[in-house]
Amino acid sequence: MAAKRKLAENPNSELIDFLHELADYEKNVSRMIHKYNAYRKAASSIAKIDHKIQSITDIKGLEGIGKKIAAKIEQYLSTGKIKKLETNRGDETGAAINQMTRVMGIGPAHANKLVHQEKIKSIDELRSHPKRDQLLNKTQLLGLNYLEEFEQKIPRDEIKQMEIILLREITAIDNQLRAEIVGSYRRGATASSDIDVLVTHPTVAKLPSLLHKIVETLTKQFHFITDTISVGDSKFMGVCQIDTSKLHRRIDIRVFPSEQYYCALLYFTGNDQLNRHMRIVAQEQGYKLNEYSIQKVGSTGTLSKPLPVTSERDIFDYLQMD
DNA sequence: GTCTA
DNA sequence: TACCATGCGCG
DNA sequence: TAGACCGCGCATGGTA
């Protein structure tokens, strides 16, 4: 094979897209987050099937697929359409609400308000609205400003370049600092939707001021950070740019005390599915696992002190996992 | 919308 | 000013 | 058939 080939598309991708569209409508328009999750779960079950679904018997009994979704799939199989989806698509207001939620910081609640109260029907109308600056908060204005840029994936090579700068500058602030880029990048992805940085330092008391120092340095000295969305003692969320010829990117930086670092590393490397799986295994083995620690659960539900963890391996060992 | 107690 | 509820993004 | 469906840091806006 001469060049890297695009991964073969899932044989049921059209059906999966339909389910995602139904999911989005429930989340953004109906504001039923659990229905959203139900549709997503059904879609992910179907995504695991490696052949084209021919009949309803192919999916009956699959995890997350009950009566209603099965009926919709049946409709899709026989007519190529799903009534409910066609109805949703005919709802202009719903479509407008969905569009609004493309903007970072505009969720279902605010999107509904913009469309229902302000009668705003499109992103363009929002951009040119005379009261735009009163209708949106700081984060949402940033989100609107960078909307198209944030929708672009970040190539792995670009993150690699950022990694060099980040590690160099963070270490320059304090050579006891340790930092890693986690998320899909650490899982080896060829492109990511944002940059997620974890930082730790052996001296707990220093952590909050260190985060502020890191943010200040990367902002004022290097103009690497271009905007701050939020910043507290343990988490920064913002925008960065490797140089002015490149797009603006979403970046998060979190600091953890060293005893929590490896639980955080595991958690923020993900993915979601692995996290859920490990939480369940932990529970089965009599532990409680989260992004901060692993604790033993006593017979009465009492929690032990956080167990010592000095590597990700330690966590797998407690849980007897490979 | 689906699953479970 | 202090506190609280809500919205949002996130692996 | 009622209730769960992950939980947390930060911003914001409301209330006392």
Side-chain angles (χ1 to χ4, degrees):
Chain A
M1 200 184 310
K4 192 159 115 184
R5 192 177 299 271
K6 192 184 163 196
L7 252 56
E9 203 172 89
N10 187 295
N12 301 299
S13 57
E14 192 182 34
L15 178 53
I16 292 166
D17 289 346
F18 281 180
L19 291 172
H20 284 171
E21 201 176 329
L22 288 164
D24 287 343
Y25 191 91
E26 294 299 343
K27 173 161 73 79
N28 299 328
V29 184
S30 310
R31 299 175 70 178
M32 303 265 189
I33 189 62
H34 301 298
K35 289 194 182 185
Y36 165 84
N37 285 321
Y39 278 120
R40 300 291 299 202
K41 185 178 178 184
S44 97
S45 277
I46 286 170
K48 288 177 190 152
I49 299 187
D50 58 2
H51 65 275
K52 193 157 171 88
I53 295 166
Q54 305 279 359
S55 111
I56 197 72
T57 56
D58 291 356
I59 53 101
K60 267 266 158 74
L62 242 54
E63 193 185 12
I65 296 182
K67 255 178 98 176
K68 308 276 278 284
I69 291 182
K72 287 180 174 67
I73 292 173
E74 208 161 17
Q75 261 185 45
Y76 167 75
L77 254 26
S78 55
T79 69
K81 300 189 197 178
I82 298 172
K83 265 190 199 166
K84 168 91 172 171
L85 187 53
E86 299 299 316
T87 308
N88 290 353
R89 284 175 175 172
D91 170 14
E92 287 177 40
T93 299
I97 292 167
N98 265 322
Q99 286 302 301
M100 296 300 147
T101 63
R102 287 169 56 203
V103 176
M104 183 194 49
I106 300 183
H110 208 83
N112 271 271
K113 190 183 293 187
L114 290 172
V115 173
H116 285 130
Q117 291 181 20
E118 306 298 330
K119 310 295 179 203
I120 298 173
K121 298 190 227 44
S122 69
I123 297 284
D124 282 347
E125 278 189 29
L126 183 59
R127 279 209 161 103
S128 57
H129 197 287
K131 282 192 288 185
R132 185 190 61 190
D133 294 1
Q134 288 78 58
L135 293 174
L136 302 179
N137 66 29
K138 245 179 76 183
T139 303
Q140 295 162 340
L141 287 171
L142 268 179
L144 188 57
N145 191 232
Y146 293 129
L147 175 58
E148 286 79 12
E149 293 183 66
F150 287 167
E151 287 183 340
Q152 304 300 314
K153 287 272 196 174
I154 314 167
R156 186 173 186 84
D157 280 349
E158 186 178 326
I159 304 188
K160 271 188 185 167
Q161 291 177 21
M162 292 178 162
E163 187 173 35
I164 292 168
I165 295 174
L166 277 165
L167 298 193
R168 185 187 67 217
E169 296 315 322
I170 288 175
T171 314
I173 290 167
D174 184 324
N175 63 13
Q176 293 198 90
L177 278 171
R178 174 172 170 198
E180 277 171 84
I181 297 181
V182 292
S184 60
Y185 174 78
R186 185 158 181 256
R187 300 199 302 270
T190 54
S192 306
S193 52
D194 61 9
I195 302 128
D196 202 355
V197 188
L198 250 51
V199 178
T200 189
H201 189 281
T203 312
V204 179
K206 284 192 173 186
L207 291 180
S209 62
L210 273 169
L211 179 59
H212 288 89
K213 174 86 82 181
I214 290 168
V215 171
E216 191 185 322
T217 304
L218 290 171
T219 306
K220 293 191 176 153
Q221 297 211 343
F222 294 93
H223 305 286
F224 177 78
I225 292 175
T226 61
D227 303 88
T228 294
I229 295 165
S230 69
V231 58
D233 286 348
S234 67
K235 185 178 74 172
F236 162 85
M237 297 176 82
V239 184
C240 68
Q241 185 184 39
I242 193 155
D243 68 63
T244 50
S245 73
K246 293 287 203 313
L247 298 180
H248 290 84
R249 309 296 196 181
R250 276 280 296 108
I251 181 169
D252 295 345
I253 305 174
R254 304 162 211 268
V255 295
F256 288 91
S258 47
E259 69 272 18
Q260 293 180 179
Y261 186 67
Y262 295 97
C263 284
L265 198 54
L266 181 67
Y267 180 84
F268 288 106
T269 299
N271 57 19
D272 261 17
Q273 250 186 324
L274 176 66
N275 288 345
R276 260 194 289 277
H277 177 62
M278 291 197 68
R279 256 184 268 137
I280 290 166
V281 172
Q283 214 169 344
E284 288 167 355
Q285 306 269 336
Y287 296 94
K288 173 180 158 61
L289 174 67
N290 58 24
E291 70 262 52
Y292 303 112
S293 66
I294 178 166
Q295 293 166 289
K296 189 92 186 116
V297 181
S299 52
T300 56
T302 54
L303 294 177
S304 74
K305 294 246 157 202
L307 304 173
V309 178
T310 59
S311 69
E312 284 175 299
R313 180 75 250 159
D314 285 353
I315 302 164
F316 286 97
D317 285 345
Y318 282 123
L319 303 180
Q320 299 171 20
M321 292 175 71
D322 316 297

